[in-house]
Amino acid sequence: MELKCWVFVGVMLMVIVGSKGSEEEEVTYDGRSLIIGGQRKLLFSGSIHYPRSTPEMWPSLIAKAKDGGLDVIQTYVFWSLHEPQPGQYDFSGRYDLVKFIKEVQTQGLYVCLRIGPYIESEWSYGGFPFWLHDIPDISYRTDNEPFKFYMQNFTTKIVNLMKSEGLYASQGGPIILSQIENEYQNVEAAFRDKGRSYVRWAASMAVGLQTGVPWVMCKQYDAPDPVINTCNGMKCGETFAGPNSPNKPAMWTENWTSFFQVFGGKPYIRHADEIAFHVSLFIANNNGCYVNYYMYHGGTNFGRTGTSYVTTSYYDLAPLDEYGLIRQPKWGHLKELHMVIKACSKTLLEGKKSIVPLGELQTAYVFQEPSEGCVAFLINNDTQHSANIEFRNNSYQLPPKSISILPDCLNATFNTAKILTESGERNARPELVLSSATRWEVFNELIPNFSDTSLKADALLEHMNVTKDESDYLWYSLRFETDSSCSEPVLHVRSLAHIAYAFVNGTYAAGGAHGSRDVKNFTLDTPIKIDTGMNEISILSVMAGLPDSGPYLERKFAGLREVSVRCNGNDIYDLTANHTWGYKVGFLGEDLQIYKQENLGKVVWGGFELSAPKAFTWYKATFDAPSGDDPVALDLSAMGKGEAWINGQSIGRYWVSLLTPQGKPSQTLYHIPRSFLKASENLLVLFEEIGGNPRQISVNTISWTTSKSSNNVDYTPNDIKYLMTPEGIHT
Ligand SMILES: *[C@@H]1O[C@H](CO)[C@@H](O)[C@H](O)[C@H]1NC(C)=O
Ligand SMILES: *[C@@H]1O[C@H](CO)[C@@H](O)[C@H](O)[C@H]1NC(C)=O
Ligand SMILES: *[C@@H]1O[C@H](CO)[C@@H](O)[C@H](O)[C@H]1NC(C)=O
Ligand SMILES: *[C@@H]1O[C@H](CO)[C@@H](O)[C@H](O)[C@H]1NC(C)=O
Ligand SMILES: *[C@@H]1O[C@H](CO)[C@@H](O)[C@H](O)[C@H]1NC(C)=O
Ligand SMILES: *[C@@H]1O[C@H](CO)[C@@H](O)[C@H](O)[C@H]1NC(C)=O
Ligand SMILES: *[C@@H]1O[C@H](CO)[C@@H](O)[C@H](O)[C@H]1NC(C)=O
Ligand SMILES: *[C@@H]1O[C@H](CO)[C@@H](O)[C@H](O)[C@H]1NC(C)=O
Ligand SMILES: *[C@@H]1O[C@H](CO)[C@@H](O)[C@H](O)[C@H]1NC(C)=O
Ligand SMILES: CC(=O)N[C@H]1CO[C@H](CO)[C@@H](O)[C@@H]1O
């Protein structure tokens, strides 16, 4: 009798896989689970964000997610991409949300649509279009009429779009859940009463849109009925206080599969066994009925879409790596877990739970149906030692910090710490090195002086309010007159942006002073040469992405805070106030878009001299695509910091010069989606801030092989094995 659940496996899998028809299905819930078309569901979900890959990649990503045992694809909706100007919408190419959802539907999976429209998501400005900043009297994410108008306007636009395409489950489509707001609990207190009234408004506005499927608010303990409060985190089985009503199910909308990486930050690695432990615990301890992996595929922050300091490669350590390739053993171990759980999901959802202590740090969670069907989770919470325990007159050995799942309360068919899937090893094969000198041409930017600036102000202006996010770069220039009393002059700059470079009379004085994701305030102090009389000082402020979180985002300050010239250690000239500063946004090459083929001729390109690398230089070259279908990546380890374009499309910012505490670049390989490439004569353009040697750039193909080393090994993004030395081939 107890074997029934196990015997059930084959049948259940067939039923679950490919069960998504197009009939209209009512989605409801109660205290135990979501109920879709009258059936209780225990669902595994994975986040895949459509603009972080390409439409050409979507079918294979979704197929691999399905093969990995997922039932649901979860995505945010990216307001900044879809409404670049008020009332002007873009749903083309990578932004084609409807096409993405229809692809999920075609493959028989469900969708959880997280509209937000505040999404955080390590996305520049948390997903808000920057024009919101200039709406008079706006205050984001609080009970503020202008904000609520635009939030409702966009949310309605998306809901209407989904409805017009028949994409809600209530219409026969795949969307079973929608999300409004995002982790608002983190900021609610800062808005006091207006925070509370905003939560109520957001919930009722969303519910009023009548999607026919439930809404969730993640990390929002007081989510108003009927909106479901869900958990985000790494250990929801331990940290989640539970639904705020007995009529709501326990759902985990973000179980972080690793963590996003920042330039200069420590890599964060989360192993397959630990994830499996916490997923099992959430199901056993919290009666979890929905677990979403954040991210299942992270992908790429193309262009300038990443938030402050976040690497261009996003959650590369997810079960599908940045390139969409299967990362083992994570993918395979979680797939096994999904199969075991799904085979007995009926018992888990309908059985009665009892908790049986087995030892000091060992517990059994038993789910028993009245007639037949019994599932047990045997938990060993001892991080140091294995445990030999007795359960129902049988003995079991539980490795340290692990959970064994007994789908029949007898046979331990899965243990979270026993990884049977073989580890993989990722390889980069340099297919060509762009080493030929004749291949490269360069264009050097000029350093603007005060007279070259268009906007003048008698103060240090806030960086984002001047650039309007049209560039990462803002020039602050002034004309500064000295008398002869200044000896050993030192330029002092304090900034709340990300990088500062200083120039005196068009000559580089110092550069690269930077903050970090954690320490935003930084200073640049550099000896300069000034003469009696007039001197030109130009300081370039750089932002590697806008902030994405925190209350009062609209009031965040970035850019220069203080500028002075110190003579003999004293502040003699405070240039912060009472001086007229000139402002210029970005570089000429950006204005002219010289990374596009049709605009190359708008500037004069010169030959490349290795001996004289210059800051703020554009490099261009062409190359032929590597043959085959393997994903392609540029190795930029010989460069400093900048942005790269392939055939006019940005593959993102690169920042190799900022090292981790271990002394390594955070990211050296930069993904070029196959669909950006043609067979030959691909145009590569780089804008380099510091200087580097483009003749060492290689074009690589990426693949995985089975590793000889032990299982449960995860690699950091840079632990990649080169199949040949890049120097070994030339063109
Ligand atoms: C949203 O705002 C735009 C103008 O920005 C307007 O044209 C449109 O009608 C509004 N839509 C809704 C649903 O309010
Ligand atoms: C396991 O132990 C840790 C640390 O002692 C504790 O925080 C956690 O709640 C325990 N988990 C379970 C499932 O008992
Ligand atoms: C375990 O064994 C004892 C005595 O041998 C017996 O009374 C009990 O019913 C058994 N329990 C189970 C769950 O089989
Ligand atoms: C336990 O399950 C495994 C499959 O995981 C199976 O090979 C084995 O025969 C089962 N043992 C018993 C006693 O049912
Ligand atoms: C800025 O001024 C310096 C000297 O005053 C000059 O050498 C430089 O060419 C000027 N830059 C531009 C862009 O005109
Ligand atoms: C942004 O700049 C405008 C002038 O261009 C100014 O009126 C406004 O106060 C500035 N806003 C902030 C938040 O600095
Ligand atoms: C930045 O540093 C200055 C000077 O040390 C200090 O006065 C200021 O409070 C700091 N600001 C922030 C936001 O940390
Ligand atoms: C900077 O340029 C001005 C003229 O534009 C000149 O008078 C001054 O001597 C220069 N200073 C230095 C240090 O070259
Ligand atoms: C700027 O000028 C005002 C009025 O002339 C004066 O009160 C203030 O101290 C000056 N600030 C600085 C930093 O020099
Ligand atoms: C809700 C939750 O589980 N939060 C946890 C997420 O992970 C971070 C980092 O490990 C913890 O600090 C949180 O408590």
Short mmCIF file of all heavy atoms in Angstrom, two decimals, residues 696-722:
data_model
loop_
_atom_site.label_atom_id
_atom_site.label_comp_id
_atom_site.label_asym_id
_atom_site.label_seq_id
_atom_site.Cartn_x
_atom_site.Cartn_y
_atom_site.Cartn_z
N GLN A 696 44.77 41.51 -27.90
CA GLN A 696 44.67 40.23 -27.17
C GLN A 696 43.23 39.76 -27.02
O GLN A 696 42.96 38.74 -26.36
CB GLN A 696 45.32 40.38 -25.79
CG GLN A 696 46.83 40.39 -25.89
CD GLN A 696 47.49 40.68 -24.56
OE1 GLN A 696 46.85 40.67 -23.51
NE2 GLN A 696 48.77 40.97 -24.59
N ILE A 697 42.29 40.48 -27.59
CA ILE A 697 40.88 40.06 -27.49
C ILE A 697 40.68 38.79 -28.32
O ILE A 697 41.13 38.72 -29.46
CB ILE A 697 39.94 41.18 -27.99
CG1 ILE A 697 40.01 42.37 -27.03
CG2 ILE A 697 38.51 40.67 -28.14
CD1 ILE A 697 39.23 43.60 -27.50
N SER A 698 40.01 37.81 -27.72
CA SER A 698 39.73 36.59 -28.49
C SER A 698 38.23 36.35 -28.55
O SER A 698 37.48 36.77 -27.68
CB SER A 698 40.43 35.37 -27.86
OG SER A 698 40.01 35.18 -26.53
N VAL A 699 37.85 35.66 -29.63
CA VAL A 699 36.46 35.24 -29.81
C VAL A 699 36.41 33.76 -29.46
O VAL A 699 37.16 32.96 -30.02
CB VAL A 699 36.01 35.46 -31.28
CG1 VAL A 699 34.58 35.00 -31.47
CG2 VAL A 699 36.18 36.94 -31.66
N ASN A 700 35.56 33.42 -28.49
CA ASN A 700 35.54 32.06 -27.94
C ASN A 700 34.21 31.38 -28.17
O ASN A 700 33.18 32.06 -28.24
CB ASN A 700 35.76 32.11 -26.42
CG ASN A 700 37.13 32.65 -26.05
OD1 ASN A 700 38.03 31.90 -25.74
ND2 ASN A 700 37.28 33.97 -26.11
N THR A 701 34.24 30.07 -28.22
CA THR A 701 32.98 29.32 -28.14
C THR A 701 32.95 28.62 -26.78
O THR A 701 33.99 28.25 -26.23
CB THR A 701 32.84 28.28 -29.26
OG1 THR A 701 34.03 27.47 -29.28
CG2 THR A 701 32.65 28.96 -30.60
N ILE A 702 31.74 28.47 -26.25
CA ILE A 702 31.57 27.97 -24.89
C ILE A 702 30.85 26.62 -24.93
O ILE A 702 29.87 26.45 -25.67
CB ILE A 702 30.70 28.96 -24.07
CG1 ILE A 702 31.24 30.40 -24.18
CG2 ILE A 702 30.58 28.52 -22.62
CD1 ILE A 702 32.58 30.63 -23.55
N SER A 703 31.34 25.68 -24.14
CA SER A 703 30.66 24.37 -24.07
C SER A 703 30.94 23.75 -22.70
O SER A 703 31.82 24.20 -21.98
CB SER A 703 31.19 23.45 -25.17
OG SER A 703 32.59 23.27 -25.00
N TRP A 704 30.16 22.74 -22.38
CA TRP A 704 30.36 22.02 -21.11
C TRP A 704 30.76 20.59 -21.40
O TRP A 704 30.28 19.98 -22.36
CB TRP A 704 29.05 22.00 -20.30
CG TRP A 704 28.73 23.28 -19.60
CD1 TRP A 704 28.22 24.40 -20.17
CD2 TRP A 704 28.89 23.56 -18.21
NE1 TRP A 704 28.05 25.38 -19.20
CE2 TRP A 704 28.45 24.89 -17.99
CE3 TRP A 704 29.36 22.83 -17.11
CZ2 TRP A 704 28.47 25.50 -16.73
CZ3 TRP A 704 29.36 23.43 -15.85
CH2 TRP A 704 28.93 24.75 -15.67
N THR A 705 31.64 20.06 -20.55
CA THR A 705 31.95 18.64 -20.61
C THR A 705 31.83 18.08 -19.20
O THR A 705 31.79 18.83 -18.23
CB THR A 705 33.40 18.39 -21.10
OG1 THR A 705 34.26 19.27 -20.36
CG2 THR A 705 33.53 18.69 -22.58
N THR A 706 31.78 16.76 -19.10
CA THR A 706 31.68 16.15 -17.79
C THR A 706 33.02 16.29 -17.09
O THR A 706 34.07 16.11 -17.69
CB THR A 706 31.31 14.67 -17.93
OG1 THR A 706 30.10 14.62 -18.65
CG2 THR A 706 31.12 14.02 -16.59
N SER A 707 32.94 16.66 -15.83
CA SER A 707 34.16 16.90 -15.08
C SER A 707 34.71 15.62 -14.48
O SER A 707 33.95 14.73 -14.10
CB SER A 707 33.87 17.90 -13.97
OG SER A 707 34.90 17.90 -13.04
N LYS A 708 36.03 15.54 -14.37
CA LYS A 708 36.65 14.38 -13.72
C LYS A 708 36.64 14.57 -12.21
O LYS A 708 36.73 13.64 -11.45
CB LYS A 708 38.11 14.22 -14.18
CG LYS A 708 38.26 14.08 -15.68
CD LYS A 708 37.93 12.67 -16.14
CE LYS A 708 37.96 12.57 -17.65
NZ LYS A 708 36.90 13.37 -18.31
N SER A 709 36.50 15.82 -11.78
CA SER A 709 36.59 16.08 -10.34
C SER A 709 35.31 15.66 -9.64
O SER A 709 34.36 15.20 -10.26
CB SER A 709 36.87 17.56 -10.11
OG SER A 709 35.81 18.32 -10.63
N SER A 710 35.29 15.82 -8.33
CA SER A 710 34.18 15.32 -7.53
C SER A 710 32.91 16.09 -7.87
O SER A 710 32.94 17.18 -8.41
CB SER A 710 34.49 15.47 -6.06
OG SER A 710 34.43 16.83 -5.71
N ASN A 711 31.77 15.51 -7.51
CA ASN A 711 30.50 16.16 -7.78
C ASN A 711 30.30 17.34 -6.84
O ASN A 711 31.08 17.57 -5.93
CB ASN A 711 29.37 15.16 -7.64
CG ASN A 711 29.39 14.18 -8.80
OD1 ASN A 711 29.98 14.46 -9.84
ND2 ASN A 711 28.77 13.04 -8.60
N ASN A 712 29.21 18.03 -7.04
CA ASN A 712 28.85 19.17 -6.22
C ASN A 712 29.89 20.28 -6.26
O ASN A 712 30.09 20.99 -5.30
CB ASN A 712 28.62 18.75 -4.76
CG ASN A 712 27.83 19.82 -4.02
OD1 ASN A 712 27.08 20.57 -4.63
ND2 ASN A 712 28.01 19.89 -2.72
N VAL A 713 30.58 20.39 -7.38
CA VAL A 713 31.51 21.49 -7.52
C VAL A 713 30.85 22.53 -8.41
O VAL A 713 30.32 22.21 -9.46
CB VAL A 713 32.82 21.03 -8.18
CG1 VAL A 713 33.71 22.22 -8.48
CG2 VAL A 713 33.54 20.06 -7.27
N ASP A 714 30.80 23.75 -7.93
CA ASP A 714 30.31 24.84 -8.77
C ASP A 714 31.49 25.72 -9.11
O ASP A 714 32.41 25.86 -8.31
CB ASP A 714 29.27 25.67 -8.02
CG ASP A 714 27.88 25.18 -8.30
OD1 ASP A 714 27.60 24.87 -9.47
OD2 ASP A 714 27.08 25.11 -7.35
N TYR A 715 31.42 26.33 -10.25
CA TYR A 715 32.52 27.18 -10.67
C TYR A 715 32.11 28.63 -10.57
O TYR A 715 30.97 28.97 -10.82
CB TYR A 715 32.91 26.83 -12.11
CG TYR A 715 33.52 25.47 -12.18
CD1 TYR A 715 32.73 24.35 -12.32
CD2 TYR A 715 34.90 25.32 -12.04
CE1 TYR A 715 33.29 23.09 -12.35
CE2 TYR A 715 35.46 24.07 -12.09
CZ TYR A 715 34.66 22.95 -12.24
OH TYR A 715 35.21 21.71 -12.27
N THR A 716 33.02 29.47 -10.24
CA THR A 716 32.74 30.90 -10.29
C THR A 716 32.73 31.28 -11.77
O THR A 716 33.24 30.53 -12.61
CB THR A 716 33.83 31.71 -9.56
OG1 THR A 716 35.04 31.55 -10.26
CG2 THR A 716 34.00 31.26 -8.13
N PRO A 717 32.15 32.44 -12.06
CA PRO A 717 32.03 32.79 -13.48
C PRO A 717 33.37 32.75 -14.21
O PRO A 717 33.42 32.50 -15.40
CB PRO A 717 31.47 34.20 -13.43
CG PRO A 717 30.72 34.25 -12.14
CD PRO A 717 31.47 33.39 -11.19
N ASN A 718 34.44 32.97 -13.51
CA ASN A 718 35.74 33.01 -14.20
C ASN A 718 36.49 31.69 -14.19
O ASN A 718 37.55 31.58 -14.78
CB ASN A 718 36.61 34.09 -13.60
CG ASN A 718 36.26 35.43 -14.20
OD1 ASN A 718 35.79 35.49 -15.33
ND2 ASN A 718 36.43 36.49 -13.45
N ASP A 719 35.93 30.71 -13.46
CA ASP A 719 36.60 29.40 -13.48
C ASP A 719 36.21 28.69 -14.76
O ASP A 719 35.33 27.85 -14.80
CB ASP A 719 36.17 28.56 -12.27
CG ASP A 719 36.95 28.95 -11.05
OD1 ASP A 719 38.09 29.42 -11.20
OD2 ASP A 719 36.42 28.77 -9.95
N ILE A 720 36.87 29.06 -15.78
CA ILE A 720 36.55 28.50 -17.08
C ILE A 720 37.83 27.89 -17.60
O ILE A 720 38.92 28.38 -17.32
CB ILE A 720 36.01 29.60 -18.00
CG1 ILE A 720 35.19 29.00 -19.11
CG2 ILE A 720 37.10 30.48 -18.54
CD1 ILE A 720 34.15 29.96 -19.61
N LYS A 721 37.70 26.77 -18.27
CA LYS A 721 38.90 26.10 -18.73
C LYS A 721 39.11 26.43 -20.20
O LYS A 721 38.23 26.18 -21.02
CB LYS A 721 38.73 24.59 -18.54
CG LYS A 721 40.00 23.83 -18.68
CD LYS A 721 39.76 22.40 -18.26
CE LYS A 721 40.60 21.49 -19.11
NZ LYS A 721 40.07 20.13 -19.10
N TYR A 722 40.24 27.01 -20.51
CA TYR A 722 40.54 27.29 -21.91
C TYR A 722 41.05 26.03 -22.58
O TYR A 722 41.92 25.34 -22.04
CB TYR A 722 41.58 28.41 -22.03
CG TYR A 722 40.97 29.76 -21.83
CD1 TYR A 722 41.00 30.39 -20.59
CD2 TYR A 722 40.30 30.39 -22.87
CE1 TYR A 722 40.40 31.62 -20.40
CE2 TYR A 722 39.69 31.61 -22.69
CZ TYR A 722 39.75 32.23 -21.46
OH TYR A 722 39.15 33.44 -21.28
#
